[in-house]
Amino acid sequence: MYTFSGKLKTVSLVLMIIGALSIGYGFFTAPKTTEDVEQAMAHDDGHHGEEASHADTAHSEEHGEAEAQSHLEHLLHQGQNRPWTAFFIAAFFFLMISVCVLVFYAIQWAAQAGWSIVLFRVMEGITAYILPGSILLFLFLLASGLHMNHIYVWMAEGTFDPSSENYDAIVAGKSWWLNVPGWIIRSFIYLFVYNIFRYLLRKNSLALDTSGDVKIYKKNFNLSVVFIVLFGILELFMSFDWLMSLDPHWYSQLYSFYVFASVLVSGITTIALVTIYLKNKGVLPFVNNSHIHDLAKYMFGFSIFWTYFFFDQFMLQWYANIPEEAAYFWPRLIGSYQLPFISMLVMNFVFPILILMDSDFKRVPWFVVAAGLVILTGHYIDVFQLISPATVGDSWSIGIPELGSLAFFMGLFIYVVFTAISKAPLHAKGNPFMKESEIYHY
């Protein structure tokens, strides 16, 4: 049995407290009126503030007072969106890590894989975060549906009304799918499916420990197959509802696969990091360098998988140069998001290629940990640049709200995962392929 160390528990609690205070600070300091926006622009660092003021003045002169006011309101919404965006990025990232670990876990059951069974309790512990992560994300989605923020522009008043000045014909054409009641109901279904399958798979796995009944093993096999199929369908719609609808004019048929690749490699990397930590604590005696090597192979393989979809989506749309499609990449490749966009490409593709290509390096735990930290950072930035351009535009920055949200969810994730791992023996008994996993070596 693993005991959740007091030191790690303290770290997780401190992260949560600091994170919660920082999130509160982000909401407290967000602009409340257009006057706050004007003051912020005026007091922005000298030269930039002067430029903004001149630009605003020129804008006012050219387009009139009404349009200048509209511009200020747009900036106000972006400023108010900032703490919500920071919360959403962290909430989505850590939840999807847990969900994708559940997918990977289900694949092991469905494939009747032998090598990974000694890692099952690690995977089950990580998936324990699905429940609290789902609650927090659903609260965010509910707040968005109740118009407590301006994250989803298609929810703005008058978007579907032809008589309104906010009418958007393109978005209105998607109103049969993009409407708040349907969006909330679908979100609930996605989260419910993830939680119910996690509950059933975990319950059967623990029951297999004591009974060794092969019927329970077959039950988990069947549940895993059903879950993989369901997840494959739901993930297509979930990516559209939660992420792609942030840019409702834009669409990509590869987007869901791209998002899946990003969060899946993050999930597998998390399995590797937690496994190495527990092995160093001496509580995973049957895990050897061959298991670590296989996890690192998946980290490498799915990094290439992610790059494949990144390149396909980018090259097709950029080369075709269709305005409503290429517009998505413009702020990311050319505009103010160029630095995070290029950085995450280097961390998610170039770095894994350079350090995980060699087979021997995949057997060295500290090397896998170093690679894993870079990969997780790169994919967190990937989620950041998926969401932020549509919600805060050029007003983005990395400050207290962003770091606070990351700290809060990281602390909560550590606390929930390691608490769950300490609740059950780390050696899953009763699985007919356990012996194969214990002696796995090549």
Side-chain angles (χ1 to χ4, degrees):
M1 287 284 288
Y2 164 74
T3 302
F4 193 2
S5 73
K7 189 176 180 181
L8 186 59
K9 187 180 292 185
T10 302
V11 168
S12 66
L13 291 173
V14 168
L15 283 172
M16 277 192 280
I17 293 170
I18 293 175
L21 292 173
S22 301
I23 291 171
Y25 175 83
F27 281 103
F28 180 74
T29 56
K32 307 295 186 298
T33 63
T34 53
E35 285 75 20
D36 292 342
V37 175
E38 287 181 305
Q39 286 180 4
M41 292 171 66
H43 292 88
D44 204 359
D45 60 44
H47 181 65
H48 177 71
E50 191 177 341
E51 282 184 345
S53 178
H54 285 316
D56 190 58
T57 302
H59 185 85
S60 298
E61 292 175 352
E62 185 178 351
H63 300 287
E65 190 62 29
E67 191 162 337
Q69 186 62 29
S70 174
H71 178 62
L72 283 175
E73 288 178 3
H74 179 65
L75 293 178
L76 172 64
H77 290 171
Q78 289 186 339
Q80 291 175 333
N81 279 346
R82 187 181 164 195
W84 289 99
T85 300
F87 185 93
F88 183 30
I89 291 169
F92 176 82
F93 183 73
F94 284 99
L95 172 63
M96 291 314 297
I97 281 180
S98 288
V99 171
C100 282
V101 169
L102 183 64
V103 174
F104 189 72
Y105 174 70
I107 290 172
Q108 306 307 306
W109 278 99
Q112 297 183 316
W115 72 276
S116 56
I117 298 168
V118 293
L119 305 174
F120 272 12
R121 286 293 147 80
V122 176
M123 300 182 202
E124 290 171 13
I126 296 172
T127 59
Y129 179 78
I130 292 177
L131 180 58
S134 298
I135 294 171
L136 289 172
L137 186 67
F138 189 72
L139 289 176
F140 165 81
L141 298 172
L142 204 56
S144 300
L146 292 173
H147 306 288
M148 295 175 69
N149 57 50
H150 310 279
I151 294 287
Y152 292 93
V153 294
W154 58 267
M155 293 180 183
E157 187 178 356
T159 303
F160 305 138
D161 182 3
S163 63
S164 170
E165 62 179 9
N166 290 330
Y167 176 68
D168 189 320
I170 295 175
V171 180
K174 302 177 182 179
S175 61
W176 63 275
W177 182 267
L178 285 182
N179 55 81
V180 173
W183 185 76
I184 291 291
I185 292 170
R186 290 195 301 276
S187 298
F188 179 82
I189 292 172
Y190 307 146
L191 297 172
F192 178 77
V193 169
Y194 302 153
N195 278 281
I196 193 66
F197 274 91
R198 190 271 168 184
Y199 170 77
L200 294 173
L201 287 169
R202 165 77 163 179
K203 178 185 170 188
N204 290 337
S205 177
L206 293 178
L208 198 58
D209 266 10
T210 52
S211 69
D213 188 348
V214 74
K215 288 182 181 176
I216 298 176
Y217 174 84
K218 290 180 179 177
K219 194 181 291 184
N220 257 12
F221 171 84
N222 293 329
L223 281 171
S224 297
V225 172
V226 173
F227 174 67
I228 291 167
V229 174
L230 267 180
F231 176 82
I233 297 170
L234 295 182
E235 201 273 337
L236 297 175
F237 299 110
M238 181 205 70
S239 299
F240 177 80
D241 280 340
W242 294 353
L243 298 181
M244 196 156 68
S245 72
L246 293 167
D247 295 279
H249 285 181
W250 179 77
Y251 65 92
S252 165
Q253 294 175 332
L254 292 172
Y255 190 80
S256 298
F257 301 100
Y258 173 82
V259 172
F260 172 64
S262 182
V263 289
L264 180 61
V265 70
S266 302
I268 295 170
T269 301
T270 304
I271 296 173
L273 296 182
V274 175
T275 299
I276 291 170
Y277 172 80
L278 293 173
K279 181 174 170 54
N280 286 339
K281 292 290 180 185
V283 292
L284 288 175
F286 292 104
V287 173
N288 57 48
N289 287 345
S290 294
H291 296 101
I292 303 298
H293 180 268
D294 274 14
L295 287 172
K297 276 199 301 187
Y298 280 110
M299 289 164 57
F300 176 77
F302 282 106
S303 291
I304 304 302
F305 183 65
W306 172 87
T307 309
Y308 171 76
F309 285 112
F310 169 84
F311 180 77
D312 277 5
Q313 181 175 258
F314 170 73
M315 186 53 68
L316 284 173
Q317 300 204 349
W318 187 260
Y319 189 73
N321 200 24
I322 299 173
E324 63 267 28
E325 295 185 359
Y328 175 82
F329 288 102
W330 186 265
R332 292 164 173 84
L333 184 64
I334 306 297
S336 63
Y337 287 86
Q338 189 178 57
L339 178 60
F341 186 78
I342 300 298
S343 300
M344 68 93 186
L345 188 59
V346 171
M347 286 189 276
N348 296 340
F349 173 58
V350 179
F351 191 78
I353 281 283
L354 291 178
I355 69 168
L356 289 179
M357 178 73 84
D358 192 299
S359 184
D360 291 337
F361 289 166
K362 298 189 190 77
R363 295 180 181 277
V364 182
W366 73 264
F367 222 91
V368 176
V369 170
L373 292 176
V374 174
I375 289 172
L376 284 179
T377 304
H379 285 283
Y380 192 82
I381 297 174
D382 186 19
V383 174
F384 176 84
Q385 65 87 32
L386 286 175
I387 295 173
S388 199
T391 57
V392 298
D394 292 341
S395 305
W396 74 275
S397 66
I398 303 296
I400 292 177
E402 290 76 17
L403 297 176
S405 295
L406 175 61
F408 175 77
F409 282 97
M410 185 184 292
L412 180 63
F413 183 83
I414 292 171
Y415 185 85
V416 172
V417 168
F418 284 94
T419 299
I421 289 175
S422 67
K423 296 292 184 186
L426 280 173
H427 196 63
K429 298 176 182 175
N431 192 304
F433 296 102
M434 176 53 89
K435 190 63 181 177
E436 181 181 338
S437 189
E438 291 175 352
I439 62 172
Y440 185 65
H441 190 78
Y442 64 95

